[in-house]
Amino acid sequence: MTHSQIVRFLLLKTIGNFLILFAIFGVCATFGPALYFEVLFHIDQWRGVKYVVVNPQSGDISGFGKLLRSQNTNANLFTFDQNQQVMIPKDTNFDILIPKIGANSIVFANVNTADENAYLPILKKGVAQAAGSALPNENGSIFLFAHSTDSFWDVGLYNAVFYLLKDLQIGDGVTLFYKGKRYDYAVIGSKIVEPSDVSYLTNSRSSPKQLILQTCWPPGTTWKRLLVIAKPK
């Protein structure tokens, strides 16, 4: 090889390595948040880890011994033992906790579902309560949505707290805190609907008391919507 050929080979090899590393970084940035929640959920299931929710204002932590702060920075957790973790809300003014999937997120109220400029910034920080739907202290349907992206490569930009809604089953619990008061719900079912089906939202005020959680289905697409429905306990 001549000197120029060696230089060209090394340059092409360097560029090739850079492109490979850039591709790996892109895949991690894209799928990382979703894979993190998925892997963590299955590890917890395999280990038999259970999450429970307590009201921080009631001091109802008896039976849990000396609580140690968990290293998990994505949720307010305390560790009792290897198989027991206690969840407390991040903000008792409005918060949602789903023990089955270890989800804990602040809820932002009165978000316009028809205005992307209004809800997209919110979904990067937490869960949104649809404007016009009921609040926990009111009659009707509470409609909460999160993880609403136009493409899978945007998943990393948004709070993936609802990514695991697909794993909820009938009887699983959901807890809301609103203005310092706790509201407990039990899942009664789920359904997949068309994006154009907004009946659950438009009829929210006339429906019985219930909680509806919405996310995209399949995750990271605009093809369908997954609705998980829960009733007050």
Side-chain angles (χ1 to χ4, degrees), residues 152-186:
F152 203 97
W153 50 83
D154 282 340
V155 169
L157 298 177
Y158 297 90
N159 184 351
V161 67
F162 274 10
Y163 174 78
L164 292 174
L165 285 187
K166 59 186 176 57
D167 294 299
L168 292 182
Q169 299 175 334
I170 293 175
D172 288 335
V174 180
T175 298
L176 297 182
F177 281 86
Y178 182 67
K179 293 187 176 180
K181 186 176 179 180
R182 175 173 174 163
Y183 299 83
D184 288 301
Y185 303 82

Side-chain angles (χ1 to χ4, degrees), residues 1-133:
M1 274 187 170
T2 64
H3 177 72
S4 61
Q5 288 175 325
I6 293 174
V7 171
R8 182 180 300 175
F9 171 77
L10 292 175
L11 179 61
L12 291 176
K13 184 177 180 180
T14 301
I15 293 174
N17 290 337
F18 172 78
L19 292 175
I20 291 173
L21 291 174
F22 184 77
I24 293 173
F25 172 79
V27 169
C28 292
T30 299
F31 298 98
L35 289 176
Y36 170 80
F37 280 94
E38 191 74 45
V39 170
L40 186 63
F41 172 72
H42 288 291
I43 289 176
D44 284 347
Q45 292 286 298
W46 175 72
R47 291 175 55 208
V49 173
K50 301 294 182 183
Y51 294 87
V52 294
V53 179
V54 293
N55 189 337
Q57 294 181 344
S58 71
D60 182 19
I61 57 174
S62 59
F64 294 105
K66 184 178 180 181
L67 300 174
L68 302 175
R69 175 74 65 175
S70 168
Q71 297 302 310
N72 187 342
T73 58
N74 293 312
N76 287 0
L77 297 174
F78 289 93
T79 300
F80 170 54
D81 58 36
Q82 291 183 346
N83 297 320
Q84 182 77 74
Q85 291 198 352
V86 181
M87 306 175 72
I88 63 172
K90 294 181 177 181
D91 186 350
T92 57
N93 188 55
F94 208 171
D95 197 275
I96 180 170
L97 303 100
I98 311 176
K100 171 71 173 289
I101 59 177
N104 185 354
S105 178
I106 295 174
V107 180
F108 296 86
N110 198 34
V111 178
N112 186 352
T113 61
D115 184 357
E116 285 190 355
N117 294 326
Y119 68 73
L120 288 182
I122 293 297
L123 298 185
K124 294 181 180 180
K125 299 182 291 183
V127 173
Q129 179 252 343
S133 69

